[in-house]
Amino acid sequence: MPLPILALALTAFALGTAEFVPNGLLPLISSDLDISVARAGLVTTTFALGAMLGGPVVAAATLKVPRRPLVLVLTAVFLVANALTSLTHSLAVIGVLRALAGAMLGGFLGTAITMSTGLVAAQRRATAIAVVFTGLTASNVVAVPIGNILGRAIGWQAAFWVISALAALGLVAMALVVPRARPGEQEHGDSGLGVLRNGRLWVSFLAIALGYGGLFVAFTYIAPFLTDVSGIASGSVTWVLLLFGVGLIGGNVLGGHLADRSITAAVLLFLIVLIVGLVALWALGPVATAVMVLLVVVGAAGFGMVPPLQSYVLQVAGTASAVVSALAAASFNAGVAVGSGVGGAFLEQVAAYRLLPLVGAAMTVLGLAIFLLTRRSHAPAPTPETPEEALVSLP
């Protein structure tokens, strides 16, 4: 894989770490700021909202900005916002800074994805997207536990300084290896905001949110599921969840390779495996060993669908659009929010953790049905003329 793509993945790793590190530090943040844990949760919420809403806005506002300086500036702004977060004791200021950092992450992902597709041959574009997202998913498996350990040992601010150091490392790597556009080279594949008039594109975003969101109906509440349903000791939950993390990374890499062969087949495969895995998690919930295996399966299926679905929406759009990529990333974030909300609402009414995977499977089935509707109405987009826009034709 070309070094520029690895540099983009390293930066995605740094920026992705910022999203979930505070989750394990909320008691410390609440104590230091003298607020409730519930209010401290806004540190995570504001970042997610920034990524979901601000990311596409940043991408749309920077359509004409050359991509290399754009990713450098977005990362630099993220770094400053993240560093300032550790220096303030005002929740309102922290919320604004976290939203700004989230917007930089959303804008960076949209740009990095389209950059990566222009740095490899057409038949390897889904793999390039997967590599960028591997940096993002690996941050949850590797950097988040490390950040939590440092935060608990030294103070929650230390975790944010670690994130800033990682962002600085990514910034230097991109400055060194990401190539400048050659004189006279057409750098942009974007056709502007007109691509958003494509109705099938918005239906595809809905399919992403529902298909992916089904995973988070169950996973948001996986800790009490493991203790109450599977009988796993609370002290072992963190280590058991590492299995889920292994599935995330493995599925993401596999998703890129399979999508390079057939985008549609890869999407269908991962959606179906996720549905089956969630149903099995419901059926075998009390069997701890089976649940451990299934955590790997559902993690791999959920994150394995990311590269092919990102590739799919770019092909529906017919152009390597940073705005489309950012909206797709926002759709995945929306899936997390919707899935978590549905799971919480269900628990309010039924209070049965074991049934959550079944509810999640139903949501993913709906996402699969909507995806199939977009396929039936598909008419292949004309082949773009520029190399960067020459996306793989749908199989």
Side-chain angles (χ1 to χ4, degrees):
M1 191 56 60
L3 283 177
I5 294 179
L6 296 179
L8 293 171
L10 173 63
T11 308
F13 175 85
L15 274 59
T17 302
E19 183 164 10
F20 296 111
V21 157
N23 288 0
L25 302 174
L26 292 184
L28 298 177
I29 295 172
S30 69
S31 176
D32 190 45
L33 301 183
D34 194 24
I35 58 176
S36 67
V37 173
R39 289 193 67 201
L42 290 172
V43 174
T44 296
T45 303
T46 51
F47 188 98
L49 288 173
M52 184 172 66
L53 302 177
V57 172
V58 169
T62 56
L63 279 174
K64 302 303 181 183
V65 179
R67 288 173 180 164
R68 182 180 184 275
L70 178 58
V71 292
L72 295 177
V73 169
L74 292 176
T75 305
V77 173
F78 169 91
L79 194 161
V80 172
N82 189 75
L84 289 176
T85 299
S86 64
L87 297 175
T88 181
H89 283 73
S90 166
L91 180 61
V93 174
I94 289 175
V96 171
L97 291 170
R98 291 283 289 169
L100 177 61
M104 296 304 102
L105 169 62
F108 173 85
L109 283 178
T111 306
I113 289 167
T114 53
M115 286 180 73
S116 68
T117 62
L119 292 169
V120 295
Q123 64 270 23
R124 300 198 66 200
R125 282 180 174 141
T127 296
I129 292 173
V131 170
V132 173
F133 269 96
T134 297
L136 193 66
T137 54
S139 68
N140 297 302
V141 180
V142 179
V144 169
I146 293 174
N148 283 334
I149 291 171
L150 286 174
R152 291 177 183 279
I154 307 174
W156 64 269
Q157 294 91 341
F160 285 87
W161 285 115
V162 169
I163 295 166
S164 296
L166 289 171
L169 184 61
L171 187 62
V172 171
M174 291 190 299
L176 290 175
V177 302
V178 173
R180 292 179 172 84
R182 291 185 294 272
E185 180 182 0
Q186 175 67 26
E187 189 183 28
H188 288 278
D190 281 309
S191 58
L193 298 179
V195 67
L196 300 182
R197 291 194 294 266
N198 185 339
R200 283 187 54 252
L201 196 56
W202 293 99
V203 176
S204 299
F205 292 149
L206 178 61
I208 289 175
L210 293 175
Y212 184 69
L215 171 64
F216 289 89
V217 173
F219 184 70
T220 302
Y221 304 94
I222 195 63
F225 181 94
L226 293 175
T227 54
D228 294 6
V229 179
S230 305
I232 294 173
S234 58
S236 301
V237 167
T238 299
W239 303 110
V240 171
L241 289 180
L242 286 177
L243 296 171
F244 182 79
V246 170
L248 302 189
I249 296 175
N252 196 70
V253 173
L254 180 62
H257 287 298
L258 293 180
D260 278 335
R261 298 186 177 187
S262 172
I263 292 174
T264 301
V267 172
L268 292 174
L269 172 66
F270 286 115
L271 284 171
I272 291 170
V273 170
L274 179 57
I275 292 166
V276 173
L278 287 171
V279 171
L281 196 59
W282 159 70
L284 301 175
V287 184
T289 52
V291 168
M292 292 180 189
V293 174
L294 288 169
L295 283 176
V296 179
V297 173
V298 297
F303 281 73
M305 72 175 71
V306 173
L309 279 171
Q310 279 280 356
S311 300
Y312 181 73
V313 295
L314 288 177
Q315 294 203 353
V316 169
T319 181
S321 169
V323 176
V324 172
S325 293
L327 283 169
S331 300
F332 284 110
N333 278 316
V336 176
V338 172
S340 299
V342 169
F346 179 82
L347 287 176
E348 288 284 340
Q349 298 298 320
V350 181
Y353 289 114
R354 184 176 179 179
L355 295 177
L356 285 177
L358 205 57
V359 177
M363 179 178 288
T364 301
V365 167
L366 183 57
L368 172 60
I370 293 173
F371 174 76
L372 291 174
L373 285 177
T374 70
R375 290 293 302 138
R376 279 203 293 269
S377 62
H378 174 65
T383 303
E385 295 180 359
T386 63
E388 185 174 356
E389 292 180 308
L391 298 171
V392 188
S393 296
L394 277 170

